[in-house]
Amino acid sequence: MHGMHARLPKHFVLEERLERYRDVIEPDPYHWRGHWASACAPAGATPFREVRLDLGCGKGSFTVEAARREPDVLFVGMDSEPVCIAYAAQRAVESGLPNVVFVPGTGMRIREMFAEGELGRIYLNFPTPFPRKRESHLRLVNLERLMDYRHVLAPGAEVCLRTDSLPLREFALTQWELAGYCQTWRSDDARAERPELPTSEYELRLSAQGAKVFALFGTPGEPAPKDPRQTAEMSLACYIPQDLSAFDDYAPHGMQATVQNLRNRAARTGGDWSHGITRYR
């Protein structure tokens, strides 16, 4: 879901990889709705105390490291890319950890996969930003998704967004408000403030390119909005700061061309590019 496809080794055979590591891949996650903590526990062991979802888990490095740190929590990693699932499953098998499982999917049917209150946390680590308005329904932080998360989160459970994209984080703030979420943590440099958080290969790659990690954590407030309506601007270009110097060292993945186009427009208009923003919607 990160939008950067894995480069495959010369002799990589997807079907063979998925078969080899099938013990940690759940092809029918809907079957376990309401029973994840007990069904995934090792034979004879007590159920896991909590279930957490890493939505858009990529190659699974964050998921596996988080599982290593909390052995009594079940971590479910989900990704829409079969190649990522194959790599993540390999990592999990080689780790020997019994508290991690991977499932294919986008999370669009999350309420069919998990029962009400079944999840203790949802991680959204560097989700694909889908910057254009016409793709905004695919964002993992849009209003519809946040309302779905409400149903599967336990009381007080968090949704944890980390991203290299300031515009996506700013858009998420509007969606947090519309969906009635309470902020529990907001950061413009999450790695500096919480260096102890598990990382991933993807985050390390972006950091090496100069990215900072923006964070927004929140928990659903009560009562839930009765009839939430989308009122926010849906193009991420609308959330780019007027001062483009914020992107001198790094432009968010997926928005490099947009930022450069706005720089060119600003150069032609004496610094004001906002009147042309509709082009990027």
Side-chain angles (χ1 to χ4, degrees):
M1 288 188 179
H2 298 128
M4 293 177 67
H5 297 291
R7 180 174 297 177
L8 300 183
K10 182 177 180 181
H11 301 294
F12 184 98
V13 179
L14 177 60
E15 292 75 12
E16 186 274 333
R17 292 291 184 102
L18 293 173
E19 175 64 22
R20 188 191 308 178
Y21 303 113
R22 65 179 180 177
D23 286 349
V24 295
I25 301 174
E26 178 47 65
D28 184 19
Y30 308 100
H31 179 72
W32 303 113
R33 185 178 185 271
H35 304 285
W36 285 92
S38 56
C40 293
T46 58
F48 291 106
R49 70 172 175 86
E50 189 173 302
V51 182
R52 298 180 188 173
L53 174 64
D54 185 5
L55 185 50
C57 65
K59 293 183 180 180
S61 52
F62 176 93
T63 320
V64 171
E65 175 58 21
R68 184 188 66 79
R69 297 185 185 191
E70 297 190 74
D72 58 345
V73 174
L74 174 66
F75 287 84
V76 180
M78 183 187 299
D79 203 277
S80 61
E81 291 283 347
V83 170
C84 288
I85 292 293
Y87 275 117
Q90 177 180 354
R91 188 184 299 272
V93 169
E94 292 175 350
S95 75
L97 296 171
N99 61 323
V100 60
V101 63
F102 292 96
V103 299
T106 63
M108 295 289 282
R109 298 169 61 190
I110 193 172
R111 294 173 63 176
E112 299 174 41
M113 195 174 297
F114 299 100
E116 184 175 353
E118 190 168 16
L119 293 180
R121 188 171 299 171
I122 296 176
Y123 299 101
L124 307 176
N125 289 312
F126 302 91
T128 304
F130 297 108
R132 292 186 179 273
K133 179 179 180 179
R134 64 173 177 264
E135 296 180 317
S136 61
H137 65 285
L138 298 173
R139 293 178 199 147
L140 296 182
V141 293
N142 68 29
L143 173 59
E144 183 178 1
R145 293 296 190 96
L146 292 176
M147 295 303 294
D148 281 344
Y149 302 157
R150 273 184 164 274
H151 289 270
V152 297
L153 288 170
E158 286 183 313
V159 174
C160 304
L161 169 68
R162 294 192 306 147
T163 177
D164 67 310
S165 175
L166 176 59
L168 181 64
R169 200 279 305 273
E170 296 303 289
F171 168 77
L173 282 168
T174 69
Q175 305 303 285
W176 246 239
E177 182 177 356
L178 293 172
Y181 278 57
C182 302
Q183 292 183 42
T184 55
W185 183 46
R186 174 179 171 182
S187 175
D188 289 343
D189 194 346
R191 180 53 56 191
E193 291 186 26
R194 296 189 182 180
E196 75 282 0
L197 290 176
T199 188
S200 66
E201 295 172 355
Y202 187 80
E203 179 179 347
L204 293 174
R205 190 190 319 171
L206 294 183
S207 296
Q209 297 172 11
K212 282 189 176 181
V213 181
F214 300 94
L216 180 62
F217 289 16
T219 187
E222 296 297 339
K226 290 185 178 180
D227 186 23
R229 302 291 180 90
Q230 184 61 259
T231 58
E233 292 280 3
M234 301 307 289
S235 167
L236 291 190
C238 297
Y239 300 90
I240 293 177
Q242 181 67 41
D243 181 4
L244 294 175
S245 65
F247 299 124
D248 283 350
D249 297 324
Y250 178 84
H253 179 70
M255 298 196 72
Q256 297 95 330
T258 299
V259 170
Q260 186 56 52
N261 287 339
L262 294 179
R263 287 189 193 281
N264 295 340
R265 180 175 292 275
R268 294 194 301 268
T269 60
D272 181 16
W273 51 261
S274 57
H275 64 274
I277 199 70
T278 53
R279 175 181 175 184
Y280 303 97
R281 294 180 181 177

